[in-house]
Amino acid sequence: MPKIIKDLNVVEDSWQVWRDTESLPTSGGYIVPLALWQAHKDALLALGDIAVFLASDQSPKLLGADINSFALIAVDFPKFADGRGFSYGRELREQHGFTGELRAIGDFMRDQLYFLKRCGFNSFALQSDELDEALASFNDFSDAYQPSIDQALPIFRRR
Amino acid sequence: MYAYDQFDRQLVSQRVAQFRDQTQRYLEGKISDEQFLPLRLQNGLYIQRLAPMLRIAVPYGTLNAEQLRKLASITRKYDKGYAHISTRQNVQLNWPKLEEVPDILEELAEVEMHAVQTSGNCIRNVTADQFSGVAADEVEDARAYCEIIRQWSTFHPEFAFLPRKFKIAVCGSASDRAAVMVHDIGLQIVKDAAGNTAFKVIVGGGLGRTPVIGSVINEALEPKHLLTYLEAILRVYNQLGRRDNKFKARIKILVRAMGAEAFKADVEKEWAHIKDGALSLTDEEISRAQSFFQPPAYESLPQQDMQALALENADFARWLQHNTHAHKVAGYRIVTLALKTTGVAPGDVTAEQLEVIADLGERYGFGEIRSTHQQNIVLPDVRQQDLLALWKELVELEVASPVVGTLNDIICCPGGDFCSLANAKSIPIAEAIQRRFEDLDYVYDLGEIELNISGCMNACGHHHIGNIGILGVDKKGQEFYQISLGGSQGLDASIGKILGPSFAQDEVPNVIEKVLETFVSLRQPEERFLDTFRRVGMDPFKERAYA
Ligand code: SF4
C-alpha cells in the first residue's frame, strides 16, 4: 500500500485517485473528480466509500450541500506554484465546517507542508521517497502571526 | 521604530534555519531548480546575469544606525563593499554567493533584519511615505499600520503562492509620496468629519507591461477592519487571478476584467465571513503598534527663517532649498542625502558611506535613517541649527548633490548591467543625462521634474510615472529606448504617453534636451513640466523631438 502523511505520521493508505471524468470505477475506495461526482452521485455511492477531489479551478462552493457527507475531500495541486488550494482548504474548514480528512494531492512539495497544515489540510499524498524526513517541515515555525485553522487567535490577541 | 520581541525574533531565526536547510537540500540535489525558485525568491534571492542578487527587506523604509553598520559590514564580508537602494526602499546586494546567503541572513537577524518576501509571488515588503511621522503635511503616521500589515503578511499561510507578486503601499500625508494609486493595494489615510482615522482603499493599480491607475473600492475603512478587509481582497485574488499567463496575472487585470464594482462585491461577500472575527484589530494592538512610533525627545526650539539660513553660502543655499523638507516640529528639518552622484549608479552606496551615515544619523538626530523609493537616504530629524555643519559633512561624503526633486534626481533600475531580465542598460543612460545637464542653474530653472528609467517592461524604475520616462527595449537585438512624457505619481497619478519611435542609446540625451527646450519655450511662469505637458499635450514635444 502506498504511504502518505496523515495527522503528522507516515501511514499506509488505501485510497486511490481516479482521474477519469467519463467512466466510473468498479469499486469503492476512490477519490473521484468533482465532475464525475456531480454526474453520477447515486451510482458512485452504491460502490462503497467514495471521496471527491477539487481541481485548482473548482471552488468548494461547487460541492454545495454534499460537503459534510464526505469522510475525505482532496484538493489537487496541478503545479506547486498554484496556490488556489490553500484558500480552498481554509474555506472548507472555516466557512463550510468540514471536519473530515482534507488531503492534498498532486504536485505540491515538502516545503509547503507547514502552510498547508495551517490552511486545514491534515493528510498529504506527497510525492517523495523521503516521507519521514519530510515530517520535519511541519516544524519550520513554532508559531505564527495570523489566525488560521491550527491557531484561532492572531498573535496580537496573545501577546 | 518597531523593536522585536521574543516572538518576532524566534520567527526570523526559524526562517534562517529553514532557508539554510532548503539551501543545503538544493545543493545536495534534493530540491530541483524549479522547486527551489519560489523558496529562494521568498528569501529575496535572485539568480542574476552575473551573480545572485539578494534583496534585503527594509520595512517601510525605516532603518537604524546599528542596522546600517551591519549592512556595511555584510557588504564588505560577503559582497563588494557597496549596496544598492531599490525603488521599493529595499537594500540590494549584487554579488553574494548562494552558499553564503544563509550566513548573511543569520547576520541580518542579529539586527532584526531579514529578506522575507522581498520577491516571489507573495505579499511583498509593504512601503510607505519616507517622511512618515515627520512630514509637515501629515494626516497620520502610516508606520504603525505598516507594521501591523507587515506582521499579518509575514508567512501568511494562504497567500505564499499567489498568481503574481503583490505590493501594498500606505500613505498618511496629503501629498502622496508612496505612489498609492499604482500599487496592487494602496491605502490612503484619511480623516472623517469627526476626525476619526480611516483608510481609502485603492486596488488594481500597477505599472509593468499594462500600467493602470487603481480603483477606489472603499472610501473610508475603519482601522479595526484593516486586516480582515485586506485578507478578503487577497482571498478573492488568490482564487480568481489569472494563472495561465504571467503577464495577465496581476490583480489589476482581474479588477479590470471584472469591473471594480463586481470585484468589490466579491470582496465584501468574502469579508462578511471574517469581518469582526479574530483578525479584527483591537484598540490595544493599534496602540501597541503606535507606541513604537512615538515622537522622539524633540527639543523645543525656535523655528528659524530658512531665507536667513540660506545667506550663509550659495552652495549651501541650493542644497537647503532642494534637499531639505519641512518638518512638523519647529526648529527641525528633514534632510535627504542624494545617492545620485554622476558616474555612480543611482541608489548605490558604499560601505564607508553607510557607516558615516549611521554616525550622522546618531549625531544629527535620534539614530533613525530612512530609505526612499527615489533611491535616496533620509535623516528625518535634523535641528535647523545643525544644518550647515551637517551639510559640510555630507559634501565630504559626496551625498550632498543639491538635486533632490530635479531632473538629476534620476530613478533608475539596475538594468542590463546586472539584471537578467533587462532589454537594455539603464545606468549608463542615467549617467549620460546627468553629464549632459551638469549646469545646475539650468536644472533648477526647469523646476520639479521626475525622470525615471527602467531596463525593461517590468518597470522597476517606475518609468510610467516619471514626468519623463525612459524604457529600454529590444529592437532586433539592439538596445533602444522608448521615451514617454506626462507620467506622475501623486494622488492625481497619470501614466506617461509614448513620444514616438524609440531611440538609440547615444541619441537619448539629445532627445531629452529637445524635450526640455520645448518645455522651456512653452511654459508659463512657475509652471512645472507636468503642468505644461498637461496643458499643451504631446504634439509640440513630438514635432521638436523628431524634427
Ligand atoms: S525594470 Fe527590467 S531591467 Fe530593470 S531591474 Fe526590473 S526587471 Fe531588471
Side-chain angles (χ1 to χ4, degrees):
Chain A
M1 243 187 277
K3 291 191 166 170
I4 63 155
I5 297 173
K6 186 171 167 184
D7 296 327
L8 308 181
N9 290 303
V10 177
V11 297
E12 303 206 324
D13 178 82
S14 60
W15 284 102
Q16 293 184 57
V17 178
W18 179 271
R19 290 190 178 270
D20 190 336
T21 53
E22 310 267 302
S23 57
L24 301 188
T26 51
S27 68
Y30 284 94
I31 307 173
V32 303
L34 174 67
L36 201 66
W37 168 257
Q38 287 170 327
H40 306 283
K41 222 183 260 192
D42 294 335
L44 284 165
L45 283 173
L47 295 174
D49 292 337
I50 286 291
V52 71
F53 74 83
L54 299 169
S56 69
D57 59 354
Q58 293 173 328
S59 154
K61 293 183 181 66
L62 298 170
L63 282 167
D66 294 343
I67 287 180
N68 286 302
S69 68
F70 291 108
L72 185 158
I73 296 174
V75 175
D76 187 33
F77 289 80
K79 289 183 307 224
F80 62 80
D82 186 335
R84 284 175 275 194
F86 291 85
S87 287
Y88 298 160
R90 284 192 75 177
E91 182 178 333
L92 281 163
R93 296 289 195 211
E94 290 175 340
Q95 294 179 22
H96 306 293
F98 178 65
T99 53
E101 179 174 340
L102 181 55
R103 180 175 297 189
I105 62 172
D107 179 21
F108 62 98
M109 58 175 160
R110 167 184 165 170
D111 297 282
Q112 294 175 307
L113 290 175
Y114 173 78
F115 284 166
L116 284 167
K117 171 173 153 282
R118 293 215 70 214
C119 288
F121 290 85
N122 69 324
S123 87
F124 308 88
L126 180 66
Q127 293 163 1
S128 161
D129 307 328
E130 300 189 326
L131 290 184
D132 288 304
E133 289 83 344
L135 292 177
S137 290
F138 286 108
N139 303 322
D140 279 354
F141 298 97
S142 53
D143 204 340
Y145 287 112
Q146 318 76 8
S148 197
I149 309 303
D150 58 351
Q151 169 54 263
L153 296 179
I155 187 67
F156 65 74
R157 290 179 186 269
R158 298 184 279 124
R159 260 180 163 146
Chain B
M1 69 191 273
Y2 186 70
Y4 282 14
D5 67 3
Q6 182 49 36
F7 177 85
D8 304 295
R9 217 168 287 128
Q10 173 181 306
L11 224 55
V12 170
S13 75
Q14 288 178 337
R15 176 59 152 204
V16 175
Q18 181 195 39
F19 190 62
R20 190 180 288 287
D21 175 59
Q22 289 167 341
T23 307
Q24 181 69 27
R25 283 189 281 128
Y26 170 69
L27 293 172
E28 286 167 2
K30 291 182 175 174
I31 301 183
S32 66
D33 283 328
E34 197 196 354
Q35 291 182 327
F36 191 53
L37 177 81
L39 304 178
R40 64 173 165 77
L41 288 180
Q42 303 218 0
N43 284 286
L45 183 61
Y46 284 77
I47 304 297
Q48 292 275 46
R49 184 161 280 188
L50 304 170
M53 183 273 277
L54 180 66
R55 182 180 295 149
I56 298 164
V58 181
Y60 38 95
T62 304
L63 290 155
N64 63 31
E66 187 195 10
Q67 291 174 329
L68 239 56
R69 293 192 183 103
K70 176 56 94 179
L71 287 170
S73 107
I74 286 175
T75 67
R76 284 205 189 91
K77 189 158 158 196
Y78 301 98
D79 207 275
K80 295 192 175 176
Y82 71 98
H84 174 78
I85 309 291
S86 83
T87 54
R88 293 200 79 254
Q89 300 178 294
N90 290 321
V91 170
Q92 296 181 175
L93 303 182
N94 280 325
W95 311 95
K97 293 194 190 66
L98 170 67
E99 317 77 73
E100 291 182 346
V101 170
D103 297 332
I104 298 176
L105 296 180
E106 192 163 322
E107 292 213 27
L108 287 170
E110 290 168 17
V111 292
E112 306 186 355
M113 294 187 81
H114 55 73
V116 172
Q117 292 167 214
T118 53
S119 181
N121 296 334
C122 53
I123 305 173
R124 301 287 189 87
N125 183 28
V126 52
T127 52
D129 176 357
Q130 68 262 21
F131 296 161
S132 293
V134 292
D137 65 345
E138 184 160 270
V139 174
E140 188 169 327
D141 190 345
R143 293 173 300 169
Y145 295 105
C146 286
E147 179 56 30
I148 286 170
I149 294 169
R150 184 192 76 80
Q151 297 194 8
W152 161 77
S153 63
T154 297
F155 312 137
H156 197 298
E158 190 180 340
F159 306 132
F161 297 89
L162 294 170
R164 202 75 175 83
K165 58 188 167 186
F166 202 93
K167 300 177 180 178
I168 301 176
V170 189
C171 181
S173 300
S175 51
D176 170 33
R177 283 174 291 260
V180 291
M181 300 304 291
V182 289
H183 274 77
D184 295 291
I185 296 178
L187 296 166
Q188 175 77 27
I189 302 181
V190 293
K191 294 276 181 189
D192 69 12
N196 297 314
T197 299
F199 296 94
K200 184 188 271 195
V201 182
I202 301 142
V203 297
L207 300 174
R209 203 166 280 254
T210 319
V212 183
I213 303 293
S215 311
V216 177
I217 60 162
N218 196 320
E219 286 288 346
L221 179 72
E222 278 179 71
K224 68 173 174 190
H225 297 312
L226 179 61
L227 296 184
T228 53
Y229 202 80
L230 292 179
E231 186 140 311
I233 294 174
L234 265 297
R235 189 165 290 160
V236 171
Y237 169 59
N238 189 38
Q239 297 187 42
L240 300 183
R242 283 182 63 172
R243 291 178 186 264
D244 58 330
N245 179 342
K246 114 177 215 203
F247 300 116
K248 303 214 151 99
R250 296 289 288 267
I251 194 174
K252 62 191 174 190
I253 306 288
L254 177 67
V255 173
R256 220 164 56 166
M258 291 177 75
E261 278 307 310
F263 179 80
K264 175 184 169 146
D266 267 25
V267 168
E268 307 241 325
K269 219 182 289 166
E270 209 44 70
W271 188 37
H273 293 288
I274 50 177
K275 189 183 176 195
D276 300 317
L279 191 58
S280 300
L281 285 171
T282 56
D283 292 343
E284 295 76 53
E285 173 61 2
I286 294 173
S287 313
R288 189 186 83 94
Q290 286 170 336
S291 71
F292 292 102
F293 303 99
Q294 291 305 306
Y298 291 117
E299 296 164 44
S300 68
L301 299 167
Q303 180 70 15
Q304 296 188 33
D305 178 17
M306 295 299 289
Q307 305 273 323
L309 278 175
L311 295 175
E312 294 279 351
N313 157 335
D315 287 342
F316 173 60
R318 290 173 154 180
W319 175 83
L320 211 51
Q321 187 188 344
H322 294 279
N323 294 23
T324 74
H325 285 84
H327 197 289
K328 67 178 177 195
V329 176
Y332 285 85
R333 198 86 184 149
I334 305 169
V335 171
T336 301
L337 281 53
L339 303 181
K340 301 293 163 77
T341 306
T342 303
V344 178
D348 275 8
V349 55
T350 66
E352 292 71 33
Q353 285 174 324
L354 285 169
E355 281 164 348
V356 178
I357 294 168
D359 290 346
L360 296 175
E362 286 174 335
R363 284 195 285 123
Y364 296 96
F366 302 91
E368 197 182 309
I369 294 116
R370 312 272 180 94
S371 53
T372 81
H373 81 267
Q374 290 92 347
Q375 304 176 289
N376 292 321
I377 284 181
V378 164
L379 300 182
D381 300 302
V382 180
R383 297 186 301 185
Q384 283 181 310
Q385 64 199 52
D386 295 337
L387 285 167
L388 183 62
L390 172 61
W391 172 71
K392 288 180 179 157
E393 298 203 44
L394 296 180
V395 170
E396 275 298 289
L397 200 60
E398 296 182 22
V399 291
S401 306
V403 297
V404 172
T406 71
L407 177 71
N408 282 348
D409 191 8
I410 297 174
I411 295 181
C412 177
C413 82
D417 292 298
F418 296 102
C419 177
S420 51
L421 301 171
N423 285 326
K425 291 194 173 66
S426 51
I427 296 168
I429 297 292
E431 183 177 343
I433 293 170
Q434 285 166 333
R435 291 206 188 283
R436 173 65 58 98
F437 301 101
E438 268 172 344
D439 176 359
L440 279 180
D441 287 326
Y442 180 67
V443 168
Y444 291 152
D445 179 57
L446 296 171
E448 221 177 278
I449 294 192
E450 284 164 12
L451 190 150
N452 300 357
I453 310 176
S454 303
C456 78
M457 277 296 189
N458 286 311
C460 302
H462 304 172
H463 64 277
H464 301 293
I465 51 169
N467 301 160
I468 300 176
I470 302 181
L471 166 67
V473 292
D474 179 278
K475 219 170 166 178
K476 301 194 190 101
Q478 301 268 42
E479 298 190 356
F480 269 69
Y481 297 86
Q482 187 182 73
I483 292 177
S484 56
L485 303 180
S488 81
Q489 55 157 333
L491 289 174
D492 63 343
S494 52
I495 303 295
K497 298 194 178 66
I498 295 166
L499 179 64
S502 52
F503 299 94
Q505 177 168 345
D506 55 0
E507 294 175 299
V508 173
N510 290 335
V511 178
I512 300 298
E513 190 162 358
K514 286 182 192 165
V515 165
L516 294 171
E517 284 166 6
T518 314
F519 160 58
V520 170
S521 68
L522 295 173
R523 80 193 302 193
Q524 290 173 352
E526 301 303 310
E527 206 174 34
R528 296 176 309 164
F529 178 85
L530 184 64
D531 302 321
T532 305
F533 179 83
R534 286 180 174 169
R535 185 171 53 78
V536 305
M538 182 64 91
D539 290 345
F541 292 95
K542 198 176 199 136
E543 271 163 36
R544 185 82 167 248
Y546 294 96

